[in-house]
Amino acid sequence: MSRPVLYFSPTSPYVRKVLIAAKELGIDGTIDLVAPAAVLPTSTSNEVSDRGANPLGKIPALLPTPDSPASDAIIGSSIISQYLDHVASTTTNTTRRILPTDPLARIRVLTTEALADGATDALLLARYETALRPADKQWAQWEEGQLSKTFRALAALDARIAKDGGAVTAGVNVADPGSTLDLASIAVGTLVGYLEFRFAHIAWKEKYPALAAWYAKLATRPSFASTAPPQ
């Protein structure tokens, strides 16, 4: 039987989100990973777009089967994660879900995911400004503006965790290895993981202690520990 193909990079926070989702759902062993040549924001085309997996040339991108037409490709970490949740619920005997079935609860989870993804986007833009843009063209105010977006998101998440008994989503205990994370917790975790990976010089833990304590528990889960980016 043909298996889904996921175009990935081990350093992408959005790929990591998808990999964690698959592991939390117990279906990670059913997906084949393909690492394309370097996917850079300055590329005019790359292997991902050339193969029809994503015209934008961005990862993650998932083909339901190796022979799937481009029209069947699933792009974007949020949509791929929702697709994997559907696959797990319809093709396995597991009761694991990363999204609630109640519509309003689902919207709350996806809203938190959108906040975390927006903060991750800002980190990536700040990273590109210093890592890819020539030194004489770098704009310090741009980097500062992007980081400020992330800090505002971290502050909001820190306040929520402190208020809601140490959880991003009420009832989701990241320290319980027998539980399944929801997509909101996964997205926030990958945001903080990318902050730790690419911006280790930023002392954020003292400013956001509730978030730091929550992440310390989350980082020990097998799904997170096994997908940590290479140092």
Side-chain angles (χ1 to χ4, degrees):
M1 182 177 179
S2 297
R3 292 152 54 103
V5 174
L6 179 69
Y7 289 88
F8 90 113
S9 165
T11 59
S12 165
Y14 294 121
V15 168
R16 189 183 186 195
K17 183 170 73 167
V18 169
L19 294 177
I20 291 169
K23 287 178 179 293
E24 289 289 329
L25 291 166
I27 60 173
D28 54 300
T30 68
I31 301 170
D32 291 330
L33 303 180
V34 174
V39 178
L40 299 174
T42 53
S43 300
T44 56
S45 67
N46 59 37
E47 186 177 348
V48 179
S49 60
D50 291 346
R51 291 191 179 183
N54 184 353
L56 300 173
K58 300 173 70 174
I59 53 174
L62 184 138
L63 294 173
T65 72
D67 300 322
S68 294
S71 58
D72 287 348
I74 303 169
I75 63 175
S77 63
S78 180
I79 305 303
I80 295 173
S81 296
Q82 293 177 59
Y83 172 75
L84 295 181
D85 187 67
H86 167 73
V87 168
S89 69
T90 57
T91 64
T92 71
N93 294 323
T94 182
T95 58
R96 298 179 182 181
R97 298 295 300 273
I98 59 172
L99 285 165
T101 56
D102 176 75
L104 289 180
R106 187 184 186 97
I107 287 172
R108 285 193 291 271
V109 167
L110 293 175
T111 298
T112 301
E113 182 202 16
L115 174 65
D117 284 356
T120 304
D121 285 344
L123 284 181
L124 284 164
L125 290 173
R127 164 75 177 170
Y128 295 157
E129 187 67 23
T130 57
L132 295 178
R133 193 182 296 278
D136 63 329
K137 293 181 173 61
Q138 291 176 12
W139 188 7
Q141 288 82 4
W142 168 267
E143 181 188 9
E144 181 180 352
Q146 298 307 317
L147 291 176
S148 70
K149 297 175 185 178
T150 297
F151 296 149
R152 292 196 297 272
L154 295 179
L157 292 165
D158 183 72
R160 180 190 303 183
I161 292 170
K163 178 183 177 182
D164 292 345
V168 165
T169 302
V172 178
N173 182 3
V174 300
D176 178 8
S179 66
T180 302
L181 296 179
D182 68 337
L183 188 53
S185 301
I186 294 171
V188 174
T190 52
L191 158 64
V192 178
Y194 191 72
L195 177 66
E196 289 272 87
F197 175 49
R198 293 299 195 193
F199 297 85
H201 60 283
I202 295 178
W204 63 274
K205 295 180 181 178
E206 296 79 7
K207 194 171 183 179
Y208 313 112
L211 178 60
W214 175 87
Y215 181 72
K217 298 174 185 176
L218 180 73
T220 64
R221 289 182 71 97
S223 61
F224 267 82
S226 64
T227 57
Q231 298 298 319

